[in-house]
Amino acid sequence: PQKAKALYQRALEGATDFAAARTLIESAKQAGDTAFTQAALKKAGDLASATGEYIELAEGLAGVGDKPGATALLDKAEDAVAGLDEMQKLVTAVEAHLADDAERLTRVRAKLEKRKANHLRYMEFQQLEKDAANVKRVFGEPIERDGTLVIPVAVVAGGGGGGGRDSQTDEPGEGGGGF
């Protein structure tokens, strides 16, 4: 057991990517070594770069009783949030592990609401843009001639094609396509 522990410790010190640290976390959990699990979680926290990774590690630290470590990783997760889904996961993690931190809980919930509102606005603009593009493609500007209103109408069609050439021999290559 001591030789294995020394080996795991060297592996942890040499870990340079998140996947390697995650493997060590699982090994530490299986061995039931809480102190090494905590050390592996913290090392993985140094190697993590995405919100989901930070949240996963924070939950692990909270599970071994390291609330300050979990708090630090949830801070990193908050800074790394890149979308609505990630913000929702962060709020859920804060509610689960830092519910007694009212200021933090209020802050992340407010950020979630703001992201929801921005997402709805984005979806509305996207739909307006789509609708406007379709109408402008099919109908032209109305023209009045001799008391009659004429609305130009066009048929919309599209197409494309492709091909290839061998860059070394300058011979036609295989493949290509069209629609």
Side-chain angles (χ1 to χ4, degrees):
Q2 284 297 63
K3 283 186 178 183
K5 189 170 184 173
L7 181 64
Y8 280 129
Q9 188 61 41
R10 280 199 324 259
L12 181 61
E13 290 167 4
T16 58
D17 64 74
F18 183 75
R22 181 183 270 162
T23 300
L24 290 169
I25 292 167
E26 293 307 314
S27 297
K29 285 180 180 178
Q30 289 176 0
D33 188 336
T34 303
F36 186 71
T37 299
Q38 185 176 2
L41 286 162
K42 287 184 176 184
K43 174 70 173 194
D46 293 339
L47 299 171
S49 61
T51 302
E53 294 169 349
Y54 291 126
I55 291 171
E56 174 189 337
L57 298 169
E59 289 173 343
L61 285 172
V64 296
D66 185 353
K67 188 173 180 179
T71 300
L73 288 175
L74 289 175
D75 285 340
K76 288 182 176 184
E78 187 175 347
D79 291 340
V81 168
L84 179 60
D85 289 344
E86 289 181 357
M87 193 70 219
Q88 180 61 60
K89 289 175 184 175
L90 176 65
V91 169
T92 300
V94 169
E95 289 171 343
H97 304 293
L98 302 175
D100 58 338
D101 187 343
E103 182 182 324
R104 176 186 304 269
L105 200 50
T106 300
R107 182 181 69 238
V108 296
R109 284 177 176 162
K111 286 182 176 182
L112 175 62
E113 291 308 312
K114 187 174 180 179
R115 284 200 180 257
K116 284 180 180 179
N118 287 342
H119 183 74
L120 285 175
R121 269 191 281 159
Y122 171 76
M123 297 301 288
E124 289 170 6
F125 284 132
Q126 195 174 34
Q127 187 61 45
L128 288 171
E129 184 180 62
K130 181 180 174 185
D131 293 345
N134 287 337
V135 169
K136 288 179 183 174
R137 284 186 192 153
V138 177
F139 299 99
E141 292 295 319
I143 302 168
E144 187 173 336
R145 295 246 170 128
D146 299 326
T148 304
L149 186 62
V150 177
I151 301 175
V153 179
V155 174
V156 178
R165 183 169 287 283
D166 187 316
S167 64
Q168 294 188 3
T169 64
D170 205 30
E171 295 292 320
E174 294 182 29
F179 60 94

